[in-house]
Amino acid sequence: MTGYILDKTETLSRGELAALQSERLQKTVRLVYDNVPVYRAKMEEKKLRPEDIRSVEDLHKLPFTTKQDLRANYPFGMFASPKEDIVRIHASSGTTGKLTVVGYTQNDLDVWTACMARSMAMAGIDRSSTVQVSYGYGLFTGGLGAHYGAERLGAAVVPTSSGNTLRQITLMKDFGVTHLCCTPSYALYIADEIRKMGLDMAEFELRGGLFGAEPWSEAMRGEIEKKLNITALDIYGLSEISGPGVAMECGCKAGSHIQEDHFIPEIVDPDTLEPLPYGQTGELVFTTITKTGQPLIRYRTRDITSLNAEPCACGRTTVRMNKVFGRSDDMLIIRGVNVFPSQIETVLIRAGGIEPHYQINVDRVNNTDVMEIEVEMTEEIFSDEVRNIEKLKQKIESMLYSMLGVTATVRLVGPNTIPRSEGKAKRINDRRTY
Amino acid sequence: MLNQLSVFIENKPGRLFQLTTVLAENKIDLLTLSIADTKDYGILRAITRENERAVEVLKEAGFTVSITKLIAVEVADEPGGLRDILAIFEREEMSIEYLYSYARTKEGTAIILMKVEDAEAAVRILQSCKVKLIDSLL
């Protein structure tokens, strides 16, 4: 079964949508101004009053929110509703410092579930489907988000959470799982384990997957689709905004539809913070307009992408975001050139026979940035002659140079020495000191 | 022809120790051992008493291993012994990827183990030259 449109809101005319957004934005601004001291202070600083915001046209007047604001107001300082109305609290792991907390009212959980249900409908999930949720369940929003969305559609949910890959595969086969939800790197790991077990995809009912929580390339999509013999779609979300399902790719695979009746997207220049027109690449910013627990105004996601307002062949009228190209905080500047891990991943997959597990090491030697990519030696690319291995190394290095425009050296390391992750992969080891 | 194990060894302290520990724990006896090394990694080439089991236990321990076919030639243990064999390769314009010798053998002979580009053609020619080929070191 292919994707379908669950909710007619997804096909509103642009004018109808703008009217709905304007009404909801005004309510949200009033809510945070009255209840969240940080927002009141930020607006007062700009000499803004809630009544100055009359429509989406006024959005750019509002102050930005950053992850730093969430940390500074840890744990509950950003809540706009009384604690007794909060029914769920998630937290996302920060690599440094405090956790980022998100509080949900029942209304917020309903909004999130509705967005996830729409997203899963895009992948063709319905009551006849069996959905395996291999995102982690817990403080991370992936597991529970996918779980409630699939249940809302009446699908059978297999809540495996992450880990114990052999059991994941056994259940997937025995239960006739039709759709898989996990990170794209875990999907590839599962595919490789299936192959190692000597199983054939014909023994599975698997047809589709919703993969997200980390940026991935078109090349990686090709790899997952080929190895698992499925349609692989990109799902986007972040816990601060609600969780997975903020945007989702339809079967056209031409960008992810943003649930604009709940979240207003903008693209801004990450340096000047000036809004950029549709089509231009910059940092994605969201304003939530239906949430009540912890609404966020112009939240800077750090994700680098562009927006596309062209009508989609699927019939939805919502703006689409292109694949996330990288994160403004993941972006490496090597000798003045912007480098994103996704570009390196694309090269490794194109080179063939290489595991898409890699690590980027950046050092500063004699005041020059030096980038080294660790790649695992697999049986497929191993040769017992040094010159063959050197030839392969040089091939990858020259492909990296043409993709990135800067030199990167490749270092071959033993199999399974690069840490695997069942959540988001950590790939950058920036050891530069200035 | 005989089988040799080829193992990828990352140039990191302790890797060779780990490999020999795996073999020792599984009571696998090494017959030959040589290492081709580069700055970042080495390729360990070894023949053991039980190559198939060695592949199995090394893979299990996380090593990248493959089996390579080698030609083993018995030569006279005297000056010019290896030269006489290489003369055949020279004349036939056959190239050798690498070679090493095996010393523990019967009095007056040595064994040269070599990887060549076209093993079957090399075997044919060496046989026609009455060179003694070995199929096992055991």
Side-chain angles (χ1 to χ4, degrees), chain B residues 31-47:
Chain B
L31 296 172
T32 70
L33 178 68
S34 80
I35 296 181
D37 67 313
T38 72
K39 187 166 71 63
D40 297 331
Y41 59 88
I43 300 168
L44 177 140
R45 297 163 182 150
I47 298 174

Side-chain angles (χ1 to χ4, degrees), chain A residues 38-90:
Chain A
V38 195
Y39 278 125
R40 180 182 285 251
K42 279 179 185 259
M43 284 176 67
E44 280 172 352
E45 200 178 305
K46 290 190 160 246
K47 306 213 174 350
L48 266 182
R49 295 193 52 81
E51 48 272 28
D52 297 331
I53 307 302
R54 294 194 185 86
S55 77
V56 284
E57 299 297 318
D58 298 320
L59 186 64
H60 68 276
K61 296 177 182 166
L62 289 162
F64 287 98
T65 313
T66 62
K67 206 174 192 103
Q68 202 44 49
D69 291 316
L70 298 182
R71 292 201 181 120
N73 293 285
Y74 176 89
F76 302 153
M78 300 293 284
F79 286 8
S81 289
K83 178 67 185 25
E84 46 276 29
D85 291 338
I86 300 294
V87 297
R88 175 97 64 80
I89 302 168
H90 278 280

Side-chain angles (χ1 to χ4, degrees), chain B:
Chain B
M1 279 187 278
L2 45 77
N3 287 339
Q4 169 199 265
L5 304 177
S6 303
V7 190
F8 179 81
I9 306 280
E10 199 183 332
N11 201 349
K12 223 165 59 178
R15 280 307 271 167
L16 193 55
F17 176 69
Q18 281 170 17
L19 178 133
T20 48
T21 304
V22 171
L23 293 180
E25 279 172 356
N26 287 280
K27 302 207 175 354
I28 293 172
D29 191 18
L30 281 166
L31 296 172
T32 70
L33 178 68
S34 80
I35 296 181
D37 67 313
T38 72
K39 187 166 71 63
D40 297 331
Y41 59 88
I43 300 168
L44 177 140
R45 297 163 182 150
I47 298 174
T48 67
R49 271 185 201 280
E50 298 165 89
N51 283 335
E52 275 169 33
R53 203 158 67 80
V55 169
E56 209 174 288
V57 297
L58 287 172
K59 275 191 185 174
E60 200 152 297
F63 286 91
T64 299
V65 195
S66 68
I67 290 272
T68 310
K69 291 263 176 220
L70 296 187
I71 294 179
V73 180
E74 192 178 278
V75 298
D77 187 7
E78 60 188 32
L82 174 61
R83 187 217 157 264
D84 294 344
I85 299 296
L86 295 185
I88 300 171
F89 281 83
E90 185 71 16
R91 192 182 68 220
E92 301 291 333
E93 291 179 358
M94 296 188 299
S95 55
I96 299 169
E97 308 291 349
Y98 58 79
L99 63 76
Y100 53 95
S101 66
Y102 176 57
R104 190 171 151 271
T105 177
K106 67 181 190 223
E107 226 25 52
T109 65
I111 292 174
I112 303 297
L113 297 148
M114 50 180 110
K115 183 175 179 192
V116 298
E117 216 167 52
D118 185 346
E120 279 171 26
V123 166
R124 235 178 8 252
I125 289 163
L126 291 170
Q127 279 171 338
S128 74
C129 295
K130 306 275 183 271
V131 172
K132 189 171 177 199
L133 295 169
I134 310 282
D135 285 324
S136 168
L137 295 183
L138 298 178

Side-chain angles (χ1 to χ4, degrees), chain A residues 18 56 87 138 232 353 364 377 426 428:
Chain A
V56 284
V87 297
R364 189 150 255 245
M377 173 56 80
K426 286 193 182 53
I428 300 174

Side-chain angles (χ1 to χ4, degrees), chain A residues 246-258:
Chain A
V246 171
M248 169 77 195
E249 253 182 353
C250 66
C252 301
K253 295 182 188 168
S256 299
H257 290 274
I258 294 173

Side-chain angles (χ1 to χ4, degrees), chain A residues 406-423:
Chain A
V406 284
T407 312
T409 55
V410 167
R411 192 156 73 90
L412 293 159
V413 298
N416 294 306
T417 54
I418 296 173
R420 297 297 191 271
S421 81
E422 284 164 357

Side-chain angles (χ1 to χ4, degrees), chain A residues 72-138:
Chain A
N73 293 285
Y74 176 89
F76 302 153
M78 300 293 284
F79 286 8
S81 289
K83 178 67 185 25
E84 46 276 29
D85 291 338
I86 300 294
V87 297
R88 175 97 64 80
I89 302 168
H90 278 280
S92 75
S93 55
T95 40
T96 50
K98 286 173 183 164
L99 294 174
T100 308
V101 174
V102 189
Y104 300 74
T105 59
Q106 186 56 52
N107 161 78
D108 299 345
L109 291 183
D110 291 342
V111 165
W112 181 14
T113 300
C115 290
M116 266 319 284
R118 285 182 194 173
S119 300
M120 293 184 139
M122 290 189 207
I125 293 172
D126 64 10
R127 23 197 338 268
S128 68
S129 311
T130 304
V131 180
Q132 184 158 333
V133 179
S134 309
Y135 280 118
Y137 277 64

